């Protein structure tokens, strides 16, 4: 179909809203809350049977957030952040899902969310300046604006492994885990994938299963979580200091997490001082390990000092030197693939019922009815867990048939890699916003900090448009090109592009190799977004309602 005008679905549209929001995860829920507060009519479509997005689907054993719970939470409501009790330093998935449901109830969100409904198509009509949105239940609704709150890690990726379909036992993907309990007791379990999901689930599966075989393609850096129960005192300290903690996370910390910031480089210290600092961070645990120094992401020699420290720790923990060697990452600088946070991951390989198979030197040949075959050896298994990750950042957007001006699809436009202005909008797709889209800090940050910033920015933008009776807004091409170049340039000033990471699209065969998130830091990025808005949405193209005419060009 070449354009929106020729589509039969728009003619039968029955419902109309100001805004359609796609997804009821943390982004969609807050967007809905803001829209309702501003008097916009809104409808949210959610493919899952409940709220929570990522935390609705990722129910695998051991799933928990590795941003600390007191910080991985909404800040928009003072009452909410004062009343909710997180039980542990890192919240387990069921508790985060409970929190999402609590938010949905507390703010009465469900009445505007339609669950078990996928958005399949969104077509922009240039005559009416509105979107026709078709859902999996066969309905088409109209809206002036569409907000994609589809999540960055929501399109679970099954690997293309020869014979996978022949396996007779159950196959689970960590990103799409069953809602019924899964019991591995007495079973031989195969686990493919050693990213955050595999590293979190392996120790728990190993405790239950008769035998666990981990198939590792790339060894990963992982730091101990040092999880534990939160005390009342810890919770209260956070609560009392929330105004400053939240401000710091938004404006100062590069990744939206309140923590002591590094003030020196790794090579400024001698070897003993460095080791002492790494040890202290290792003992404290968590993501802020990389905050020891300010140049670990920039300077390979500096980075090597941290990587060597972690490799040394792995060698100390894992008793079998051959296994320890295999588990020591050496394919990428530390931190350039998302660093993992674990509880007893490396120690799990000391268990008699756990084995590690290197599938880097000998890739999996095939999966048979009851085994994974590597280098001619069959590793017999009864159940298979795929912790093989996601078509990240663009995968869930790409699943929707989105057509903008002149019928161009977003997939056509993004064929060479995603192009956005500020990660928020893409030229040729008016009134279509993306929350934490490619070109914004998103996955390099505490997601909730970035979600709140985007939602608030979009809400302000919609108020502006309503106040000035504006019909459409979209990214200007020049501004977009400049932003894409800037995102790329900043990324290439760091070590990140040296890794075959999902940030680069490298985990998906055929996906363009582009560093997708903006690595300039959430504070810098927020300031840029605020400045753009203050200058009348500089770089965006805006048209008035009655007489279409360009007011601002990028
Ligand atoms: O996925 P991943 P994930 N054959 O892409 C391997 C967030 N998260 O679900 O590295 C064999 O990181 C692949 O190997 P390689 C977090 O941002 C957060 O674990 O491509 N192996 C890799 O080992 C995280 O980064 C939390 O060589 C194959 C693994 O599968 C992101 O989600 C918890 C393969 C995939 O790792 C994604 O994490 C969980 C194949 N064909 C996730 N294809 C917390 O907050 C892929 N692999 C704690």
């Amino acid at each position: 179909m070449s354009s929106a005008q020729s589509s039969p679905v728009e003619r039968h549209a029955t419902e109309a809203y100001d805004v359609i929001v796609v997804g009821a995860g943390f982004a969609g829920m807050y967007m809905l809350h803001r829209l309702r507060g501003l008097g916009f009519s809104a409808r949210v479509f959610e493919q899952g049977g409940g709220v929570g997005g990522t935390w609705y689907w990722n129910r695998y054993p051991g799933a928990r957030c590795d941003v600390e719970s007191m910080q991985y939470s909404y800040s928009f409501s003072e009452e909410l952040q004062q009343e909710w009790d997180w039980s542990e330093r890192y919240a387990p998935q069921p508790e985060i899902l409970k929190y999402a449901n609590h938010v949905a109830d507390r703010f009465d969100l469900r009445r505007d969310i339609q669950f078990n409904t996928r958005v399949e198509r969104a077509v922009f009509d240039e005559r009416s300046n509105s979107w026709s949105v078709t859902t999996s239940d066969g309905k088409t609704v109209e809206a002036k604006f569409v907000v994609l709150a589809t999540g960055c890690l929501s399109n679970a990726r099954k690997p293309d492994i020869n014979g996978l379909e022949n396996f007779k036992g159950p196959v689970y993907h960590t990103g799409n885990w069953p809602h019924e309990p899964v019991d591995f007791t007495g079973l031989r379990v195969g686990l493919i994938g050693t990213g955050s999901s595999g590293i979190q689930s392996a120790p728990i599966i190993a405790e239950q299963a008769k035998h666990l075989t981990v198939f590792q393609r790339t060894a990963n850096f992982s730091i101990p979580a040092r999880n534990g129960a939160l005390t009342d005192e810890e919770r209260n300290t956070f609560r009392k200091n929330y105004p400053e903690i939240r401000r710091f996370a938004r404006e100062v910390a590069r990744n939206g997490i309140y923590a002591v910031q590094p003030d020196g480089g790794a090579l400024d210290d001698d070897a003993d001082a460095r080791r002492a600092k790494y040890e202290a961070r290792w003992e404290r645990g968590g993501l802020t390990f990389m905050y020891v120094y300010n140049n670990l992401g920039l300077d390979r020699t500096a980075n090597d000092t941290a990587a060597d420290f972690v490799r040394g720790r792995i060698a100390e923990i894992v008793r079998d030197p051959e296994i320890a060697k295999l588990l020591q990452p050496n394919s990428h600088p530390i931190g350039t693939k998302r660093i993992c946070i674990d509880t007893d991951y490396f120690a799990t390989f000391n268990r008699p019922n756990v084995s590690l198979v290197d599938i880097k030197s000998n890739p999996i040949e095939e999966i048979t009815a009851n085994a994974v075959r590597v280098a001619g050896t069959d590793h017999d298994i009864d159940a298979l867990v795929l912790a093989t990750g996601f078509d990240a950042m663009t995968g869930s957007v790409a699943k929707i048939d989105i057509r903008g001006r002149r019928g161009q699809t977003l997939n056509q436009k993004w064929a060479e890699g995603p192009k956005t202005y500020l990660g928020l909008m893409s030229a040729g797709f008016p009134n279509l916003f993306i929350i934490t889209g490619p070109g914004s800090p998103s996955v390099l940050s505490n997601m909730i900090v970035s979600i709140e910033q985007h939602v608030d920015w979009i809400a302000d933008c919609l108020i502006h448009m309503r106040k000035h009776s504006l019909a459409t807004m979209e990214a200007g091409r020049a501004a977009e090109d400049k932003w894409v170049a800037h995102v790329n340039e900043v990324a290439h000033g760091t070590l990140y592009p040296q890794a075959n990471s999902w940030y680069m699209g490298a985990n998906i065969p055929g996906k363009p190799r582009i560093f997708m998130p903006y690595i300039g830091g959430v504070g810098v990025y927020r300031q840029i977004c605020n400045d753009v808005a203050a200058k009348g949405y500089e770089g965006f193209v805006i048209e008035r309602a009655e007489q279409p005419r360009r007011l601002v060009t990028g």
Side-chain angles (χ1 to χ4, degrees), residues 267-281:
L267 307 177
D268 301 339
D269 280 335
D270 64 28
D272 287 346
R274 247 192 331 258
R275 183 165 183 85
K277 286 186 184 172
Y278 288 139
E279 266 167 10
R281 290 284 180 154

Side-chain angles (χ1 to χ4, degrees), residues 34-35 37-40 145 433 455-470 537:
R34 283 301 317 269
L35 290 169
L38 295 169
F40 290 104
F145 301 97
F433 295 95
V455 168
D456 290 338
W457 192 94
I458 293 167
D460 288 347
C461 179
L462 296 184
I463 297 166
H464 175 83
M465 291 187 72
R466 180 168 65 186
K467 188 170 161 204
H468 298 284
S469 303
L470 304 176
Y537 295 92

Side-chain angles (χ1 to χ4, degrees), residues 60 64 66 159 193-197 200 217-218 337-338 387 389 502:
Y60 59 84
R64 60 177 74 241
D66 54 17
T194 50
S196 297
S197 306
Q200 279 189 328
R217 189 163 69 180
T218 306
K337 277 187 169 212
R338 170 66 150 68
W502 57 258

Side-chain angles (χ1 to χ4, degrees), residues 367-390:
I367 294 181
T368 67
N370 54 5
V372 178
R373 186 170 298 154
V374 180
T377 302
D378 277 3
H379 299 272
D380 291 341
I381 54 168
D382 306 304
L384 180 60
V385 175
L386 302 173
T388 46
F390 302 87

Side-chain angles (χ1 to χ4, degrees), residues 90-333:
Y90 299 98
Q93 174 270 336
E95 190 167 311
I96 304 174
L97 193 58
K98 200 168 150 204
Y99 173 74
N101 278 285
H102 170 75
V103 172
D105 292 336
R106 196 186 194 290
F107 298 99
D108 188 22
L109 300 178
R110 286 177 216 281
R111 65 186 156 90
D112 290 320
I113 306 175
Q114 186 174 322
F115 293 105
N116 300 306
T117 311
R118 273 191 52 75
V119 167
E120 296 192 327
R121 194 157 187 256
V123 178
F124 185 70
D125 182 343
E126 293 189 64
R127 290 170 310 180
S128 62
N129 283 331
S130 65
W131 286 90
S132 286
V133 174
T134 306
T135 49
S136 51
D137 58 357
K139 274 197 188 161
T140 296
V141 296
E142 288 194 359
K144 184 166 176 184
F145 301 97
V146 172
V147 178
L148 300 176
T150 40
C152 297
L153 296 159
S154 45
N155 187 0
R157 162 87 187 164
K158 263 198 176 184
D160 303 319
I161 298 178
N162 188 23
L164 180 55
E165 67 287 355
N166 298 331
F167 184 64
K168 290 278 182 283
V171 178
Y172 306 100
H173 194 294
T174 48
N176 196 358
W177 200 261
H179 288 217
E180 307 72 45
V182 175
D183 186 1
F184 291 118
T185 307
L187 300 184
R188 294 162 304 175
V189 181
L191 169 67
I192 301 177
T194 50
S196 297
S197 306
I199 280 179
Q200 279 189 328
S201 53
I204 312 287
I205 297 174
E207 277 171 20
Q208 213 179 54
K210 185 172 164 199
H211 193 89
L212 171 68
T213 308
V214 177
F215 297 90
Q216 172 188 274
R217 189 163 69 180
T218 306
N220 237 321
F221 290 100
S222 188
I223 308 297
R226 313 276 181 217
N227 189 31
L230 280 173
T231 62
D232 281 342
E233 196 189 337
E234 284 168 323
R235 276 192 291 263
N236 288 336
T237 303
F238 259 96
R239 286 182 177 137
K240 252 190 273 151
N241 295 296
Y242 257 142
E244 175 54 15
I245 288 170
R246 300 297 201 186
R247 184 200 68 78
F248 192 94
R250 290 182 193 121
E251 295 173 12
V252 183
R254 289 177 69 80
N255 61 1
I257 298 174
Y258 174 84
V260 177
Q261 301 295 299
D263 57 3
L267 307 177
D268 301 339
D269 280 335
D270 64 28
D272 287 346
R274 247 192 331 258
R275 183 165 183 85
K277 286 186 184 172
Y278 288 139
E279 266 167 10
R281 290 284 180 154
W282 180 269
E283 290 315 312
R284 159 116 183 86
L287 283 177
T288 60
F289 179 83
M290 293 299 287
Y291 282 18
V292 181
Y293 294 112
N294 59 16
N295 59 349
L296 296 183
L298 301 172
D299 179 318
R300 186 64 197 249
T301 312
N303 186 286
D304 283 343
T305 64
D308 284 343
F309 174 84
V310 175
R311 282 190 282 261
R313 282 295 155 122
I314 295 169
E316 284 167 25
I317 298 168
V318 180
R319 286 196 287 267
D320 181 329
E322 288 300 309
I323 302 289
K325 195 154 180 258
L326 275 179
L327 288 167
Q328 287 172 325
N330 53 28
S331 69
H332 58 282

